[in-house]
């Protein structure tokens, strides 16, 4: 006689929150995001930093969202290389290879 597989102790589906807790998703954690935001404020200045927000940081590419398409184009065309060079010197951003800007309007953006 062969043994059969025992059914799971709990019947039903597992909560998605418990599954997600076990996964290790690549990307910056909360501490790294805060370091990026502080570095942006220091390099761009407080006023200009209010016009951008962190979108993603993967494979050495930092993507920033700007409050307007015009601002995104301006920074992408004229300030991208200089900002990337300055941000590389900041702690936590040593692996930075490129900075990209995109339009990313959001509610309440830029309010003091």
């Amino acid at each position: 006689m062969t043994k059969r597989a025992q059914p799971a102790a709990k019947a039903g589906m597992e909560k998605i929150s418990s599954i997600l807790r076990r996964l290790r998703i690549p990307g910056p954690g909360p501490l790294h995001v805060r370091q990026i935001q502080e570095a942006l404020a220091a390099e761009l200045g407080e006023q200009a930093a209010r016009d951008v927000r962190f979108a993603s940081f993967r494979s050495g590419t930092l993507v920033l969202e700007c409050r307007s398409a015009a601002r995104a184009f301006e920074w992408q065309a004229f300030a991208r290389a200089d900002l990337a060079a300055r941000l590389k010197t900041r702690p936590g951003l040593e692996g930075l290879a490129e900075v990209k800007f995109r339009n990313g309007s959001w509610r309440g953006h830029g309010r003091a």
Side-chain angles (χ1 to χ4, degrees):
M1 198 174 212
T2 61
K3 281 191 160 187
R4 290 187 150 178
Q6 295 293 326
K10 287 175 135 181
M13 297 177 67
E14 186 176 359
K15 288 185 177 181
I16 190 73
S17 60
S18 65
I19 294 169
L20 291 175
R21 255 186 256 124
R22 293 191 308 259
L23 294 177
R24 291 193 139 289
I25 299 171
L31 178 63
H32 199 197
V33 170
R34 192 176 71 222
Q35 286 176 325
I36 292 169
Q37 291 168 338
E38 289 171 358
L40 285 172
E43 296 301 331
L44 295 175
E46 290 293 328
Q47 183 65 29
R50 280 190 227 142
D51 292 342
V52 298
R53 73 175 174 181
F54 169 79
S56 69
F57 185 45
R58 292 187 187 142
S59 302
T61 301
L62 175 63
V63 179
L64 302 172
E65 292 183 338
C66 302
R67 72 175 170 89
S68 71
R71 178 64 82 178
F73 173 78
E74 179 184 343
W75 282 344
Q76 182 75 18
F78 304 113
R80 173 172 64 152
D82 182 48
L83 180 62
R86 291 189 335 226
L87 287 175
K88 279 184 190 181
T89 64
R90 308 288 296 191
L93 291 172
E94 296 86 4
L96 181 67
E98 183 179 17
V99 177
K100 292 183 178 181
F101 295 92
R102 68 180 185 201
N103 186 26
S105 299
W106 60 93
R107 194 177 286 221
H109 186 158
R111 292 186 187 162

